Amino acid sequence: MSNTPESTSKQQHPDALDAIIIGAGFAGLYSVHNLRDKLGLRVKAFEGGGDVGGTWYWNRYPGARCDIESHHYSYSFSEELQQEWSWSERFPAQPEILRYLNHVADRFDLRKDIQLNTRIISAQFDEKSCQWVVETDDGCTHRARFFISGAGVLSTPSMPNIKGLDSFAGETYLTAHWPEEKVDFSGKRVGVIGTGASGIQVITEIAKEAGHLTVFQRTPNYAAPIRNRPMDAEIERQIKENYAQIREDSRNSFLGIPYPGTLPSAMEVSAEKRRERYEEAYAAGGFQLFAGTFADLITNQESNDTAAEFLREKIRERVNDPVTAEMLTPKTHAYATKRPPLETGYYETYNRDNVTLVDVLDTPIEEVTAQGIRVGDTMHELDVIVFATGFDAMTGPLLSINPKSEQVSLTEHWADGPRTHLGLTVHGLPNFFTITGPQSPAVLYNMPLAIEDHIDWLSDCIAYMGENGYTRVEATAEAEKNWGELTAEFAKPTLFDKTDSWYMGANIPGKPRVFLVFVSGAQEYRRICAEEVAQGYPGFKLN
Ligand SMILES: Cc1cc2nc3c(=O)[nH]c(=O)nc-3n(C[C@H](O)[C@H](O)[C@H](O)COP(=O)(O)OP(=O)(O)OC[C@H]3O[C@@H](n4cnc5c(N)ncnc54)[C@H](O)[C@@H]3O)c2cc1C
């Protein structure tokens, strides 16, 4: 390894690694492969969970499924992998994605450089040795030149602060940390708190099995059909023949999923034409309605209203009881300003005799007791409570580690919201990279591709450092300031900040209310990142 940063180090600790990686999800796995097998670095990933898979290891709840088509929601870095792996469904369920990630770990021999059941609890940059000193919860300390976060965007679950939570005498489950063994709901009185994307999936499945299901809903959502189906052999053949073009089109689309034919504005077509587009998208499934109809749904309130009203009509058509239908109909936020959930039979679930919907916005949950959940004066007696209460998104996993240098501690640096350059680096924290970090497209970009783009970028940066004799890379204060202004400017014309969502950090008490995502689309983001490289990294200090 003659041209890597290690060879130019003067004070390398004898046991030091080249890179320490957080996590073994999509990001951690590809980081190990890329840095080890392409750059020849000595790397180690630490994963808090008992196996690889990240999101798909933890979120094993009934109904857990990806909402991006399988051939898009997968790695593109290896043509052999793309050709040999077959997806059984249009939208794969959690067990299949977990099998896929295990296959990737085995196929590329990644496990030997991953330490499972080990959480990173702190990280400090040591100026003298130019190394990160990383502490793990098994009491060990590790050193590496580079510290790379694949800690995930939705990996720190959020639990509501409800009086009496610990007093419940029945079983409790969190969708985001679901047990491996099957949970038996048959004949039981089950309560689900939360109706976001995971809530919608788990409610639909539990209702089929429970004696009675009570859903506690704060904010109704605009869910649209996913239209899942088994993978068709001919479609699979066409996909495999055209993977290169598919990936190219994906990376040049807004959301990382190519939807040709998106029109500029819902306001520029007749009401009939608009209705036709919405009906087609609703019938096609997936994110077609959000990303494949009109480009101005998240920037133009009038356009957004037309999509929102279309979905409200669908809810009223599908739910028999008008009072329940009204409760399920979102009225206070614009469509897609919360992540739009996808469903199969969610609304029909409320037509079942064994399902009750309880509004907890106007009358919040008072307390949890040994018997169940009290809302106002009504006691809902339960055997099981399922929490589908979301995540401390994007910043949560990084702030819990709180990486520090002599100049900067991340919790202080981000006290008023994240500050980054490219959503990938932080001023004052040298040689630290945040894969799909805040202020990158992350959750508004098909995530396996977003992850690959970031790892390819940081890997090229590390190679460049080696070739040019640099050992330290750090975003400049000016670049960080400019990036913050640019991401805020891009977010300004959108409707996102009108809604209290996890995109805005608004689901976590005390979290700064700022938009956490780069919103100008994958194509624009990739152009900016490529320009940074082409111009010789002007936003960075290299030495
Ligand atoms: C239910 C659900 C459905 C989703 N569906 C989609 C979808 O359809 N399309 C899409 O694009 N995205 C989806 N996502 C987002 C999903 O998180 C990403 O697609 C992707 O899996 C992220 O991979 P990752 O490796 O970056 O992070 P993760 O998969 O979250 O992995 C991060 C890993 O890091 C570990 N970790 C974190 N902190 C530490 C620490 N301090 N020490 C040690 N280990 C640590 C965690 O245990 C975790 O295993 C979904 C998320 C959820 C929760």
Side-chain angles (χ1 to χ4, degrees):
M1 200 180 75
S2 61
N3 61 351
T4 65
E6 189 200 356
S7 60
T8 58
S9 159
K10 294 183 184 70
Q11 300 177 62
Q12 185 81 21
H13 189 278
D15 300 326
L17 296 154
D18 293 314
I20 288 175
I21 296 155
I22 315 170
F26 267 97
L29 292 176
Y30 180 51
S31 296
V32 171
H33 173 59
N34 184 312
L35 298 182
R36 185 192 67 187
D37 300 336
K38 190 175 140 208
L39 292 193
L41 301 189
R42 279 176 302 126
V43 303
K44 189 162 188 176
F46 293 95
E47 167 55 60
D51 208 339
V52 302
T55 293
W56 306 101
Y57 168 83
W58 294 108
N59 293 261
R60 300 160 182 265
Y61 59 84
R65 186 178 295 284
C66 171
D67 50 19
I68 290 179
E69 285 88 342
S70 47
H71 62 285
H72 293 306
Y73 192 76
S74 51
Y75 289 118
S76 69
F77 70 82
S78 160
E79 179 59 12
E80 295 78 18
L81 176 64
Q82 293 188 146
Q83 292 303 326
E84 75 199 14
W85 184 264
S86 288
W87 294 103
S88 70
E89 292 181 277
R90 182 182 179 204
F91 295 93
Q94 172 271 332
E96 189 168 18
I97 305 173
L98 187 58
R99 273 200 304 281
Y100 170 76
L101 291 169
N102 272 276
H103 170 75
V104 170
D106 293 333
R107 191 194 188 287
F108 296 97
D109 197 17
L110 305 179
R111 291 183 194 276
K112 65 181 182 209
D113 294 307
I114 299 169
Q115 185 171 323
L116 299 170
N117 295 306
T118 312
R119 288 198 71 76
I120 292 175
I121 53 174
S122 75
Q124 171 89 38
F125 185 72
D126 174 33
E127 288 286 350
K128 223 164 109 208
S129 60
C130 192
Q131 285 174 352
W132 280 93
V133 182
V134 170
E135 212 188 333
T136 44
D137 64 357
D138 55 359
C140 295
T141 301
H142 315 265
R143 284 172 167 266
R145 169 86 60 218
F146 296 100
F147 185 39
I148 295 167
S149 172
V153 287
L154 299 173
S155 62
T156 301
S158 137
M159 274 295 280
N161 185 11
I162 303 173
K163 186 176 142 198
L165 258 189
D166 294 340
S167 61
F168 183 58
E171 303 157 56
T172 56
Y173 298 98
L174 185 60
T175 51
H177 275 184
W178 201 263
E180 272 188 54
E181 59 279 8
K182 181 180 164 16
V183 177
D184 180 14
F185 293 107
S186 50
K188 292 184 183 161
R189 298 166 301 175
V190 184
V192 175
I193 301 180
T195 53
S198 293
I200 282 171
Q201 291 179 333
V202 84
I203 286 163
T204 311
E205 291 309 307
I206 294 176
K208 295 174 189 165
E209 201 187 329
H212 194 90
L213 172 65
T214 308
V215 176
F216 299 89
Q217 173 192 271
R218 202 168 52 180
T219 315
N221 241 311
Y222 297 96
I226 190 167
R227 311 282 183 206
N228 188 32
R229 54 179 172 260
M231 179 62 84
D232 176 272
E234 176 53 22
I235 290 179
E236 183 181 7
R237 193 192 60 74
Q238 287 171 17
I239 290 168
K240 286 191 172 175
E241 238 173 49
N242 294 295
Y243 249 131
Q245 188 60 51
I246 290 170
R247 302 302 195 172
E248 168 83 19
D249 293 346
S250 296
R251 288 195 149 96
N252 286 314
S253 70
F254 182 84
L255 205 62
I257 323 164
Y259 288 132
T262 306
L263 297 172
S265 172
M267 294 294 99
E268 285 174 12
V269 296
S270 67
E272 294 72 34
K273 177 76 186 158
R274 197 159 55 226
R275 175 90 202 180
E276 197 184 301
R277 291 294 296 210
Y278 287 148
E279 289 287 4
E280 280 167 10
Y282 199 78
F287 280 135
Q288 296 271 357
L289 194 85
F290 166 45
T293 53
F294 302 103
D296 65 344
L297 294 185
I298 54 164
T299 50
N300 182 336
Q301 184 67 59
E302 244 188 305
S303 294
N304 191 289
D305 288 344
T306 64
E309 196 46 39
F310 172 81
L311 285 164
R312 291 187 194 116
E313 276 178 34
K314 291 291 181 194
I315 296 168
R316 290 175 186 131
E317 275 170 25
R318 290 172 60 184
V319 179
N320 296 342
D321 172 40
V323 176
T324 309
E326 275 316 292
M327 283 167 72
L328 287 166
T329 303
K331 298 178 190 89
T332 55
H333 67 278
Y335 169 61
T337 53
K338 289 172 181 266
R339 185 169 173 108
L342 300 180
E343 50 83 34
T344 305
Y346 175 64
Y347 291 110
E348 288 74 15
T349 297
Y350 294 93
N351 298 335
R352 299 174 66 104
D353 293 337
N354 69 333
V355 177
T356 308
L357 180 64
V358 177
D359 169 42
V360 293
L361 185 64
D362 291 339
T363 313
I365 293 176
E366 187 89 12
E367 62 173 341
V368 174
T369 69
Q371 288 75 38
I373 294 178
R374 185 189 303 285
V375 179
D377 295 335
T378 310
M379 184 66 204
H380 299 273
E381 294 198 356
L382 300 168
D383 304 307
V384 184
I385 303 177
V386 172
F387 294 91
T389 41
F391 299 88
D392 182 351
M394 308 202 70
T395 54
L398 293 166
L399 290 173
S400 72
I401 298 170
N402 188 20
K404 287 178 191 157
S405 67
E406 279 171 19
Q407 302 83 42
V408 161
S409 106
L410 196 68
T411 46
E412 284 168 22
H413 196 61
W414 286 6
D416 297 324
R419 290 158 62 190
T420 75
H421 181 39
L422 304 176
L424 186 53
T425 56
V426 179
H427 173 64
L429 298 177
N431 295 2
F432 174 51
F433 296 96
T434 55
I435 300 164
T436 62
Q439 297 184 330
S440 79
V443 290
L444 289 176
Y445 182 13
N446 173 11
M447 288 212 62
L449 299 192
I451 286 166
E452 285 182 333
D453 286 359
H454 266 179
I455 296 166
D456 291 344
W457 193 96
L458 71 88
S459 158
D460 287 350
C461 176
I462 291 173
Y464 174 86
M465 290 170 72
E467 283 152 17
N468 292 281
Y470 298 124
T471 55
R472 200 176 185 283
V473 61
E474 181 188 341
T476 64
E478 193 194 358
E480 191 177 81
K481 181 171 164 291
N482 292 344
W483 189 251
E485 286 169 3
L486 189 72
T487 52
E489 190 186 309
F490 284 149
K492 216 184 223 164
T494 73
L495 304 172
F496 284 106
D497 76 344
K498 295 189 170 60
T499 298
D500 283 341
S501 66
W502 59 256
Y503 291 139
M504 294 294 304
N507 62 325
I508 302 294
K511 188 165 172 170
R513 196 180 184 287
V514 291
F515 189 61
L516 293 167
V517 193
F518 173 94
V519 74
S520 269
Q523 194 175 16
E524 173 66 0
Y525 178 76
R526 296 180 71 251
R527 187 193 64 72
I528 296 171
C529 287
E531 206 171 275
E532 180 79 44
V533 178
Q535 292 180 5
Y537 300 95
F540 293 88
K541 187 171 166 210
L542 286 146
N543 50 22

